[in-house]
Amino acid sequence: MTTSSRVDFPPPTEGTVPLEVTLRRRRSVREFAADPLTAAEIGQLLWAAQGVTTDRGGRTAPSAGALYPLELYAVTSKRAMRYLPGGHGAEITTERDLRHDLMIAALDQEAVGQAPLLVAVVAVPERTAAKYGDRAPRYADLEAGHAAQNLLLQAVALDLVAVPIGGFDDEAVGSILELPGGQAPRYLLAVGHPRT
Ligand SMILES: Cc1cc2nc3c(=O)[nH]c(=O)nc-3n(C[C@H](O)[C@H](O)[C@H](O)COP(=O)(O)O)c2cc1C
């Protein structure tokens, strides 16, 4: 359901594709069918990356000190939104399609402009800096990798295809997504249905 500022995703579900099959099938795919993803698919992908799985706030991906120094931004043809792991919803940040601007920021990579869904994995190292000091940026980057791989495997399990994009201008992506200070984009995960 979409309100003026928030999307609530359907509860995550459990599929039937074995983990080993998702590992074997995962491949970077850079061409997508035009079909949009459903809210259920988008929610499932975000949940795989950072969903809350315990009453105490534990998530699908491990986190140094359980301090969770990541934000996820989902970008579609209709809007951009920030994932809210606690409520399995998202806060809408703009009703504009940011994909073309992000493609330019990502060195004109067509996969970024074509994908019906982009998920920006964003590091917020200051969340862990009080505990881990200089190692905070390293831990945030490691956690971005955990979250990204979870999402890539979930995409396979949903019969979707994806590619992790690391080649982009950090400042430009941050500006397009209107990231607050201290938030640094680490990955753009381009996801869609396979082109037949
Ligand atoms: C850190 C990182 C950055 C990457 N950046 C890009 C990128 O900017 N553009 C792209 O098309 N693929 C990118 N990839 C995907 C790799 O090209 C891909 O993983 C590699 O060719 C191996 O293929 P596979 O993923 O199908 O196993 C990136 C992968 C990683 C791990």
Side-chain angles (χ1 to χ4, degrees), residues 26-28 30 109 163-167 187:
R26 186 212 60 78
R27 205 81 285 141
S28 291
R30 299 170 179 81
Q109 297 192 63
V163 59
I165 302 274
Y187 255 143

Side-chain angles (χ1 to χ4, degrees), residues 1-3 5-9 39 79 81 88-92:
M1 187 189 72
T2 304
T3 65
S5 62
R6 191 188 152 105
V7 173
D8 290 309
F9 297 116
R79 60 182 65 93
M81 49 203 159
H88 191 49
E91 168 197 23
I92 294 173

Side-chain angles (χ1 to χ4, degrees), residues 95-113:
E95 300 281 2
R96 289 173 45 233
D97 182 355
L98 302 179
R99 295 175 303 162
H100 182 76
D101 289 350
L102 288 169
M103 179 182 76
I104 292 169
L107 319 175
D108 274 331
Q109 297 192 63
E110 286 185 14
V112 175

Side-chain angles (χ1 to χ4, degrees), residues 85-189:
H88 191 49
E91 168 197 23
I92 294 173
T93 57
T94 178
E95 300 281 2
R96 289 173 45 233
D97 182 355
L98 302 179
R99 295 175 303 162
H100 182 76
D101 289 350
L102 288 169
M103 179 182 76
I104 292 169
L107 319 175
D108 274 331
Q109 297 192 63
E110 286 185 14
V112 175
Q114 286 179 359
L117 174 69
L118 299 171
V119 175
V121 181
V122 172
V124 196
E126 68 190 27
R127 277 190 204 150
T128 59
K131 182 162 185 180
Y132 295 114
D134 291 349
R135 293 179 81 77
R138 175 197 298 220
Y139 287 173
D141 290 352
L142 291 169
E143 294 187 32
H146 288 298
Q149 181 74 356
N150 282 5
L151 188 150
L152 295 173
L153 295 177
Q154 178 69 79
V156 175
L158 293 172
D159 282 331
L160 301 169
V161 290
V163 59
I165 302 274
F168 52 76
D169 179 320
D170 291 8
E171 264 189 43
V173 169
S175 158
I176 293 161
L177 293 173
E178 298 184 50
L179 298 181
Q183 297 200 7
R186 286 294 171 258
Y187 255 143
L188 291 174
L189 306 172

Side-chain angles (χ1 to χ4, degrees), residues 9-28:
F9 297 116
T13 58
E14 295 185 3
T16 56
V17 184
L19 172 64
E20 293 81 1
V21 174
T22 65
L23 289 165
R24 190 180 298 282
R25 285 190 192 153
R26 186 212 60 78
R27 205 81 285 141
S28 291

